[in-house]
Amino acid sequence: MTEQAQQPAVDADENKLIAQRREKLAALREAGVAFPNDFRRDALAADLLERYAEVDGEALEAQPVRVRLGGRLMSRRVMGKASFVHIQDMSGRIQLFVQRDQLGTDAYQAFKRDLDLGDILGVEGVLFRTRTGELSVKCDSVRLLTKSLRPLPEKFHGLTDMESRYRQRYLDLIMNATTRETFRVRTAIVQFIREYLNARGYLEVETPMMQVIPGGAVARPFITHHNALDMDLFLRIAPELFLKRLVVGGFEKVYEINRNFRNEGLSTRHNPEFTMLEFYQAYADYRDLMDLTEAMLRAMAERVLGRTTIDYQGASYDFGKPFARMTVREAILHFNPELGAADIDDLDAARRVAEGMGLAVKPGWGLGKVQIELFEHTAEHQLMDPTFITEYPTEVSPLARRNDANPFVTDRFEFFVGGRELANGFSELNDAEDQAERFRKQVEEKEAGDLEAMYYDADYVRALEHGMPPTAGEGIGIDRLVMLFTDAPSIRDVLLFPHMRPEGRGSAA
RNA sequence: GGGCCGUUAGCUCAGCUGGUAGAGCAGUGGACUCUUAAUCCAUUGGUCCUAGGUUCGAAUCCUAGACGGCCCA
């Protein structure tokens, strides 16, 4: 692109391996086009292995199959006048057989001398089977398409250092088939969700990532700045309030799969940016969404994994049988058999129980908040099999519709597998006056020092005042779902580029 | 935020009680036309994460810091 590209700055700490490869590249530049882009392939490795799996060597000899393949040189076994190598493309690996007698003496010498592991090749030849039966390509042409300047990790152990795998994901993808598989599953899950919802009449939409009032969740936001407007904006913590505005507008079934940003610590379960599915449906309630969630996850497992049993970190979860359903109260009592209803239905009693467990109960907490702390502390992590928990206290559900029979709780559920929350859904609060009141309460909490409490969103209240049909909505954490489906212990394993602290090389900090 | 563990050649790792750094792979030179962790012979390669300290002497012991992993909040 630029003239400077011809004169690469020599890195002082660059080692000999790289220097040798740079010399080879310099010779290529000397000889002509060093980065040709006229090669076209007509096959992929894995396709060939599959298509000719049943075809034996004699048949391949009788009816030669010519192929053109592109890929990265991953292994080399060079003998005097013939070599076996493997190249890897997006589908997989295939072996090449390169002989002096096929290529010619000069070309074979160049093949042995100039190529390094990691180089990108374009090859042409015919399929055959080796004596051990491996489908391979007998090459009559091998072209170097891109010189690799850096050596690949070791061929047997590969790249195992977690930090390197996260920071240099490209290397991880080159070296580790399981990493490639994890991200294929991730894509398959997202694709499945789109197909599933599209087929049921949901409209996919995009709503603002930069918001003036961050809403729709209880979390601290990131702040950014708009120069022309000279104002701070928040990266969204949830799309919820915008999606419900769309329901007011008449898009009665909508969904969005996109990034949310929350300004909290990093851990094996938290990345500052993460992906959520949120979907909303008018003329439905939270029970309809539980049914939908159950059916969708079951179908997803069948489609993506080919089975309904999910193995995660040594445990096994059956998505084929009906999911358990339990209320928050029931869950607390179930996992604390020494407690009775009297212990958790009265604020003072519940507070004593919580403090007895070492929980720091704050003065302003009502019974609902104390109950949910008890639930999270004693029950949540024990919800192993797929389980819906319902009847969340109104106090901790500022956007959910109150239950008609018991206004202390809302028509809300959360979904758990393996002790982790995967989804959160509820019948939406469409009473504009109730919503305004709850926003006011959140603002009070914010003023009292709760950094995660919500802002008052006057336009959202105005939208509700126009009338939102009875609606149910749900959010599903895509990253956690992918972790479950790929048996990944850390969220970083399912993010292509997880957030990492800067490397801070030497004096650069 | 707290605790534990880790950081040594491009990669995967040894390095004992402090004595001045090693293997395999990769690389380089040579042999080899059915190999597949190819084989055989020879061989190059180091900011031992960083900065201090202790010591005649530090990869090793001490302190602080950086980055990462795991657990906890």
Side-chain angles (χ1 to χ4, degrees):
Chain A
M1 289 269 252
T2 65
E3 294 301 315
Q4 278 136 350
Q6 301 294 320
Q7 298 287 335
V10 175
D11 201 336
D13 64 339
E14 196 166 276
N15 69 35
K16 201 165 98 185
L17 297 175
I18 296 175
Q20 285 165 352
R21 290 176 179 225
R22 279 198 195 283
E23 280 172 28
K24 292 179 183 176
L25 175 59
L28 286 172
R29 290 190 202 282
E30 202 68 16
V33 179
F35 293 89
N37 192 359
D38 60 313
F39 177 83
R40 296 294 176 268
R41 64 181 170 189
D42 61 14
L44 291 174
D47 290 350
L48 294 176
L49 294 179
E50 195 188 329
R51 195 174 334 147
Y52 295 97
E54 304 300 327
V55 183
D56 64 23
E58 283 178 23
L60 288 170
E61 213 167 321
Q63 286 201 310
V65 180
R66 278 199 76 77
V67 296
R68 282 200 301 272
L69 290 162
R72 188 183 295 276
L73 186 62
M74 296 301 293
S75 71
R76 285 210 308 169
R77 291 171 296 283
V78 178
M79 293 165 290
K81 301 181 184 64
S83 302
F84 286 97
V85 306
H86 275 93
I87 59 167
Q88 175 171 291
D89 64 23
M90 65 184 288
S91 73
R93 285 189 191 190
I94 193 165
Q95 181 168 261
L96 310 178
F97 186 43
V98 183
Q99 300 164 96
R100 191 188 67 181
D101 294 349
Q102 279 283 331
L103 234 57
T105 307
D106 290 350
Y108 185 70
Q109 274 304 112
F111 171 83
K112 283 203 296 184
R113 193 187 57 232
D114 298 340
L115 296 190
D116 292 295
L117 292 178
D119 286 350
I120 308 293
L121 309 181
V123 305
E124 196 167 347
V126 295
L127 294 179
F128 78 110
R129 277 195 190 279
T130 63
R131 268 174 215 166
T132 54
E134 180 171 350
L135 187 74
S136 308
V137 181
K138 191 174 292 183
C139 295
D140 41 58
S141 161
V142 176
R143 288 180 67 193
L144 173 59
L145 302 180
T146 304
K147 188 69 199 164
S148 167
L149 296 176
R150 289 179 180 271
L152 287 176
E154 195 227 14
K155 63 185 169 187
F156 187 61
H157 299 92
L159 186 71
T160 60
D161 178 66
M162 293 310 290
E163 183 172 356
S164 302
R165 292 178 55 199
Y166 295 147
R167 288 193 195 276
Q168 296 179 268
R169 186 66 90 185
Y170 40 89
L171 266 186
D172 187 26
L173 288 167
I174 290 169
M175 298 305 299
N176 294 313
T178 53
T179 302
R180 295 194 291 275
E181 180 59 18
T182 291
F183 290 103
R184 288 210 176 88
V185 167
R186 183 177 179 119
T187 297
I189 285 173
V190 172
Q191 232 163 44
F192 174 84
I193 291 170
R194 289 204 161 99
E195 284 168 23
Y196 194 90
L197 294 177
N198 291 348
R200 283 156 183 78
Y202 289 81
L203 186 70
E204 182 172 11
V205 297
E206 294 175 274
T207 63
M209 313 284 279
M210 293 195 293
Q211 304 179 347
V212 177
I213 301 168
V218 175
R220 292 183 68 177
F222 283 96
I223 302 173
T224 186
H225 189 78
H226 192 294
N227 289 340
L229 296 177
D230 189 25
M231 67 180 294
D232 284 343
L233 291 171
F234 299 98
L235 298 186
R236 77 179 190 190
I237 54 175
E240 170 151 356
L241 301 184
F242 283 95
L243 291 172
K244 284 191 279 194
R245 282 172 171 94
L246 296 179
V247 177
V248 170
F251 285 165
E252 292 158 359
K253 293 171 106 175
V254 292
Y255 73 97
E256 178 166 8
I257 300 174
N258 223 323
R259 220 67 62 81
N260 291 339
F261 306 86
R262 296 188 185 174
N263 207 338
E264 50 201 28
L266 285 72
S267 78
T268 50
R269 269 163 296 199
H270 299 87
N271 196 65
E273 51 181 310
F274 61 98
T275 302
M276 286 274 288
L277 159 70
E278 283 205 14
F279 59 101
Y280 292 83
Q281 176 176 355
Y283 312 108
D285 70 8
Y286 73 112
R287 282 181 295 245
D288 298 313
L289 294 193
M290 285 195 283
D291 293 341
L292 176 90
T293 302
E294 184 165 344
M296 182 168 75
L297 291 178
R298 191 167 294 139
M300 182 185 295
E302 273 167 10
R303 168 82 73 80
V304 173
L305 301 177
R307 58 181 189 275
T308 54
T309 304
I310 295 185
D311 297 315
Y312 185 74
Q313 302 295 294
S316 185
Y317 307 113
D318 187 356
F319 277 51
K321 65 182 187 193
F323 295 176
R325 301 190 182 196
M326 206 187 285
T327 68
V328 170
R329 264 186 90 256
E330 287 166 353
I332 296 172
L333 294 175
H334 177 79
F335 289 106
N336 298 279
E338 75 285 1
L339 296 181
D343 297 310
I344 61 168
D345 287 342
D346 172 76
L347 176 58
D348 289 333
R351 184 190 286 268
R352 275 194 299 278
V353 170
E355 282 169 345
M357 292 174 180
L359 294 171
V361 180
K362 293 185 181 142
W365 288 6
L367 178 59
K369 176 66 175 165
V370 176
Q371 281 185 354
I372 215 66
E373 289 288 324
L374 285 173
F375 168 76
E376 288 178 359
H377 186 249
T378 64
E380 197 172 289
H381 60 278
Q382 300 196 64
L383 297 168
M384 305 313 285
D385 289 320
T387 305
F388 290 108
I389 298 294
T390 59
E391 296 188 12
Y392 278 72
T394 306
E395 186 183 352
V396 296
S397 310
L399 300 167
R401 180 182 185 278
R402 277 180 215 273
N403 183 269
D404 293 329
N406 177 11
F408 178 75
V409 298
T410 55
D411 290 339
R412 174 181 174 192
F413 70 89
E414 287 191 2
F415 176 65
F416 296 86
V417 182
R420 292 180 187 175
E421 179 199 336
L422 274 189
N424 175 24
F426 41 83
S427 301
E428 301 296 337
L429 175 62
N430 60 344
D431 177 341
E433 293 172 354
D434 189 351
Q435 181 68 73
E437 183 54 38
R438 295 205 215 173
F439 272 148
R440 277 192 282 274
K441 197 143 198 178
Q442 287 286 313
V443 170
E444 278 172 27
E445 286 177 25
K446 183 167 280 296
E447 282 164 358
D450 184 349
L451 295 166
E452 294 188 336
M454 292 178 180
Y455 291 76
Y456 192 99
D457 190 332
D459 177 70
Y460 178 67
V461 172
R462 180 167 64 181
L464 289 187
E465 285 169 354
H466 282 281
M468 181 169 78
T471 297
E474 178 174 347
I476 297 181
I478 299 298
D479 309 287
R480 289 183 185 180
L481 189 61
V482 177
M483 286 169 68
L484 186 70
F485 273 59
T486 58
D487 197 18
S490 168
I491 194 171
R492 296 180 199 103
D493 298 321
V494 301
L495 297 166
L496 281 168
F497 299 101
H499 184 81
M500 303 285 276
R501 287 187 168 87
E503 280 180 271
R505 295 183 25 153
S507 58

